[in-house]
Amino acid sequence: MNKDTMQHIRDWFVTAADTATGWLTSPAAWSQFILLGLAWIAALQIDRRIKPHIAPLLTPSEASTTILSRSRRFALIFLPLTLPLLAYALTYIGEQATRAAFGSGEVIAFGKRVFLFLAARALVGQILTDPFLRLLGRYVLIPMAALYVLGLLDDVTNHLGETVVELGNIRFSVLALIRGAIAGSLLFWLGAWSNRQSASYIKAQETLRPATRELAMKAVEIAIFGAAFLMLMSIMGIDLTAVALLGGALGVGIGLGLQQIAANFVSSIILLLEGQTTVGDYVELDGGEKGTIVKMTARACILETFDGKWIVVPNEHFITSRVVNYSDQGSANRYEALFSVSYDTDINKVPAIIEEAVGRLDFVLQAPDGPDCELRGFGESAVDFAVEYWVNGIDDGKNRYGSPVLFAIWNALKEAGIEMPYPHRVVELKDKRG
């Protein structure tokens, strides 16, 4: 701390002591203290009378979710501010009357600032619940309110504005850095909050396709944070032409070194616009990756496999390679189960037996087609068949639908007395002694 700052602090303490001494010895100042006390007592009485009436008016039914109900719940949060704000309003009226009558009102003006400080404390201590806002209120709002009460806010602001930090050829005032940090924190917190609210609203619109909802959420997110960035640049006094130059440099960088990132970003926009692949689809790529899409980001899609693993697949792969989407045209999918019977079997009876057995399973659909048993070929030891069936959903691994179907085939063939053969080999032994 330099000598000038120390001298300013000493001068302020001397001035504050002289002011306090003058107030304590002045009858006019005592009358203003009395007015402050009366204003506080009047605010207490009014607050006690109106709160029991205001609270029921602002309390909607728990089941109501309308915009008006949400607005009433939001206004109800600020009830703790009624007492200090009432005291501030009454003090403001008293200040105007005192200045008109006596030409002086410094004590009442001081009391008015104290009531604002109490309102700031009530806001931080009783109203704000978000951890970030409480932190900002505790270490920014309350100190600023305290400086305002003491009449030091302008002096401190001017001192910080005159203190310059140099980084090479760049010069910033400490005030600009603090203002930028506070404004940036608030803007991006507000942007994140707005983005969550808009995303919740868009997700609730069931009439929109999932891909349309994803695209709308991405567009809103880009718009919100883009606006927050531009506002921050304006608050900090940064010329937006510099941002344009930076954007041009960034474009060159993307063209030279960030081609894959740019390709994946553009691919994500194409995927969302086309809507042929979206969250919830079960897909299989040429590279063998398959699973349910659980998240789509600007860079990649995240697939969740049936064993709980997550596979991160760059968006570009969905554009440049073949993708099998089992969910795009509906939730019904066809599977098949292979089996064999003995050559001694009357194979003309097998299709009816198997189709009836598989058709009795509760998860097998009759539309778009019922179970269909087909002869596939004649093997070395058995006649090969396959039964095709439709189910409503994706086979969760190999044993969700396939296992019950194979059990049904086995039991049906056993009941009909049809043998399922296994390979036989004839071994011929020759006696070399002969």
Side-chain angles (χ1 to χ4, degrees):
M1 191 176 294
N2 56 37
K3 293 181 179 180
D4 292 338
T5 303
M6 292 295 295
Q7 185 61 40
H8 281 306
I9 294 174
R10 282 194 295 267
D11 292 344
W12 180 86
F13 274 109
V14 171
T15 304
D18 293 341
T19 302
T21 302
W23 286 355
L24 292 174
T25 58
S26 171
W30 276 104
S31 64
Q32 293 180 45
F33 278 119
I34 293 172
L35 285 176
L36 284 175
L38 292 175
W40 180 255
I41 293 172
L44 277 173
Q45 295 300 321
I46 296 172
D47 183 63
R48 288 173 183 172
R49 290 179 180 275
I50 65 173
K51 266 187 180 177
H53 301 286
I54 294 178
L57 290 175
L58 296 178
T59 306
S61 62
E62 295 182 0
S64 179
T65 58
T66 62
I67 296 178
L68 180 60
S69 299
R70 292 197 293 267
S71 302
R72 289 164 65 188
R73 291 190 187 96
F74 181 73
L76 187 63
I77 299 173
F78 294 92
L79 269 185
L81 293 180
T82 55
L83 176 58
L85 292 181
L86 278 171
Y88 177 85
L90 294 173
T91 307
Y92 177 80
I93 297 171
E95 181 188 7
Q96 300 304 314
T98 303
R99 290 189 183 276
F102 304 105
S104 174
E106 288 78 10
V107 175
I108 291 186
F110 175 78
K112 188 175 65 173
R113 296 196 297 268
V114 170
F115 293 144
L116 273 183
F117 176 78
L118 294 177
R121 287 201 56 179
L123 177 67
V124 175
Q126 302 179 48
I127 296 173
L128 297 180
T129 57
D130 184 84
F132 170 74
L133 291 183
R134 286 179 68 93
L135 183 69
L136 204 61
R138 187 174 301 160
Y139 294 105
V140 177
L141 179 61
I142 290 180
M144 287 179 62
L147 291 173
Y148 177 67
V149 170
L150 298 174
L152 293 174
L153 185 59
D154 291 339
D155 292 337
V156 172
T157 302
N158 292 333
H159 181 70
L160 292 176
E162 294 170 357
T163 305
V164 176
V165 177
E166 295 186 4
L167 299 174
N169 295 327
I170 303 174
R171 302 174 78 249
F172 288 103
S173 68
V174 175
L175 179 62
L177 292 176
I178 294 175
R179 185 172 56 190
I182 295 172
S185 301
L186 276 174
L187 283 173
F188 283 97
W189 177 88
L190 184 61
W193 180 83
S194 302
N195 187 51
R196 289 194 299 269
Q197 298 300 315
S198 60
S200 300
Y201 176 78
I202 293 171
K203 286 179 180 179
Q205 307 305 308
E206 298 181 354
T207 55
L208 299 177
R209 284 174 53 88
T212 306
R213 291 199 293 267
E214 289 289 330
L215 180 61
M217 286 188 289
K218 293 291 182 186
V220 169
E221 182 179 4
I222 293 172
I224 288 174
F225 286 103
F229 176 75
L230 293 177
M231 289 177 64
L232 179 60
M233 295 297 102
S234 178
I235 290 172
M236 294 189 67
I238 297 176
D239 191 358
L240 293 181
T241 56
V243 178
L245 292 175
L246 179 63
L250 183 62
V252 174
I254 290 175
L256 295 176
L258 304 177
Q259 295 156 332
Q260 291 300 112
I261 295 176
N264 286 320
F265 179 74
V266 174
S267 298
S268 71
I269 296 176
I270 294 173
L271 289 174
L272 292 172
L273 285 174
E274 291 184 345
Q276 295 180 358
T277 304
T278 186
V279 174
D281 288 354
Y282 183 84
V283 297
E284 182 177 358
L285 279 70
D286 265 354
E289 304 91 346
K290 57 183 178 180
T292 303
I293 300 177
V294 295
K295 188 176 182 181
M296 298 179 71
T297 67
R299 188 187 68 85
C301 290
I302 298 176
L303 309 184
E304 185 176 13
T305 63
F306 290 125
D307 55 1
K309 294 183 176 66
W310 278 19
I311 304 174
V312 180
V313 181
N315 291 323
E316 186 183 11
H317 290 196
F318 287 85
I319 302 297
T320 59
S321 63
R322 185 177 66 91
V323 179
V324 179
N325 191 335
Y326 292 90
S327 308
D328 187 52
Q329 298 300 326
S331 58
N333 291 280
R334 190 182 71 174
Y335 296 93
E336 67 177 16
L338 306 175
F339 65 97
S340 302
V341 298
S342 169
Y343 273 103
D344 296 331
T345 304
D346 184 356
I347 60 174
N348 296 293
K349 298 179 180 180
V350 172
I353 294 172
I354 299 303
E355 288 172 4
E356 181 184 359
V358 174
R360 287 198 298 264
L361 297 174
D362 56 0
F363 57 81
V364 174
L365 303 177
Q366 299 302 317
D369 194 9
D372 180 24
C373 185
E374 300 176 350
L375 175 65
R376 289 294 176 89
F378 302 99
E380 294 182 0
S381 306
V383 182
D384 299 324
F385 282 89
V387 58
E388 298 174 346
Y389 59 94
W390 288 82
V391 294
N392 190 20
I394 306 298
D395 192 354
D396 261 351
K398 297 181 179 179
N399 300 318
R400 182 177 179 185
Y401 298 131
S403 179
V405 169
L406 292 175
F407 270 110
I409 293 171
W410 174 272
N411 294 330
L413 293 178
K414 286 295 182 182
E415 290 176 5
I418 298 175
E419 179 185 358
M420 299 183 69
Y422 52 89
H424 291 76
R425 296 289 184 269
V426 176
V427 179
E428 198 175 295
L429 299 176
K430 293 185 176 181
D431 189 356
K432 294 182 179 181
R433 291 176 297 178

